[in-house]
Amino acid sequence: MTAGGAAADDALPAGSDSRAPSLHQLRLFVALADELHFSRAADRLFITQSALSQQIKDLERRLGLRLFTRTSRAVSLTAPGQVLLVDAREAVAAVDRLRRSAETQARRASGRLVVGSIGAEAAMPHTRAVLRLLHDRHPQIHVEVRSLNFADHVDALFRQEVDVVFLRPPVPKGIDVQHLVTEPRVACLPADDPLADREWITLAQLAHHPVIDVPPEVPRNWWDFWVVDPRPDNTPVRYGPVASDMEGLLHLVAQGKGMCFLPAAARDFFPRPGVRYLDVVDLSPSTAALAWLKTHRSQPIIDAVLEVARSFSRGEDSGPRGA
């Protein structure tokens, strides 16, 4: 078939709708292009398959082009569909960025600070001290704390869903941190592990223990630090199953599926049946920090919380401190 023939096949009959496509239809187009399956795409979008099909047909009428080839066995993108998909993704992403930016500006205009926290960081003495000091100095700032999992504790900053995050470095480029406290890391082992009855162990003794892994969305350099990969003696790290958050990680450890390293405070914040925490004498410590986007450093509400964090770090707060 010639290129002209292909174009004719992909074009809709004359009299097609000339209205601009809606953002909702573009989202449906992108989802169906990802799944190439009406039923799966409809489930992902929480709509019925018939509603999705009708919206795609309407989108095609508006564009005057067939975007998908449908058979009883498969759904595939047409050549025009492949080209327009690039623009559709960009349009959806641009509107999402606009929405997030507007939400961020609205938060700051109203004096609302959204604080992210990973693991038990929101309950740590240093976090409570910083937030208490922030309230004392800036009572007009309303603070909302959101719990974040392994995958989104950094992405939430880049997506501007939170303004700052209490976390454990390292962090990727584009993010700055204010150090708050330093504490040891400990090994988290199944309670029935042969090493679990010891008072302390070394990294070499853990060389062949499988380590719980995290989803690919998690910054790899962050998890490499926490699993000590590479090990000092270059022993390869053997990975086990994947956990997305702290509860999932501890469950896998208790089930004997692997081990992990955590801040020493985990002993107090995450006591669990089937889990034992051990000191590791040659393991470097961890730091707790407040993180923010470098590009947002000059914004007044960010500057307020950072100045408070610096005051805490300098010891100007009389509340409890970490190790």
Side-chain angles (χ1 to χ4, degrees), residues 37-117:
H37 192 284
F38 273 89
S39 180
R40 288 198 301 266
D43 289 344
R44 168 177 158 181
L45 296 162
F46 300 102
I47 62 175
T48 65
Q49 186 173 333
S50 61
L52 173 60
S53 179
Q54 183 58 46
Q55 285 292 325
I56 293 299
K57 288 178 180 178
D58 186 60
L59 175 62
E60 291 177 325
R61 282 195 298 269
R62 293 187 183 205
L63 295 174
L65 291 167
R66 296 197 189 279
L67 302 175
F68 296 95
T69 299
R70 309 158 176 85
T71 69
S72 59
R73 295 184 177 181
V75 176
S76 60
L77 279 164
T78 62
Q82 293 173 6
V83 173
L84 268 60
L85 178 60
V86 176
D87 292 332
R89 289 192 193 280
E90 291 178 355
V92 170
V95 171
D96 286 344
R97 287 194 300 271
L98 176 65
R99 175 183 52 79
R100 289 194 297 266
S101 182
E103 290 174 351
T104 300
Q105 296 308 313
R107 283 203 310 265
R108 291 167 189 167
S110 64
R112 186 163 64 98
L113 180 76
V114 180
V115 176
S117 167

Side-chain angles (χ1 to χ4, degrees), residues 258-294:
M259 56 83 60
C260 63
F261 298 104
L262 294 173
R267 282 191 169 107
D268 298 321
F269 287 94
F270 298 111
R272 295 290 187 276
V275 170
R276 176 77 191 279
Y277 296 100
L278 298 176
D279 293 329
V280 186
V281 294
D282 54 349
L283 182 61
S284 63
S286 72
T287 62
L290 181 72
W292 65 93
L293 285 180
K294 287 184 177 181

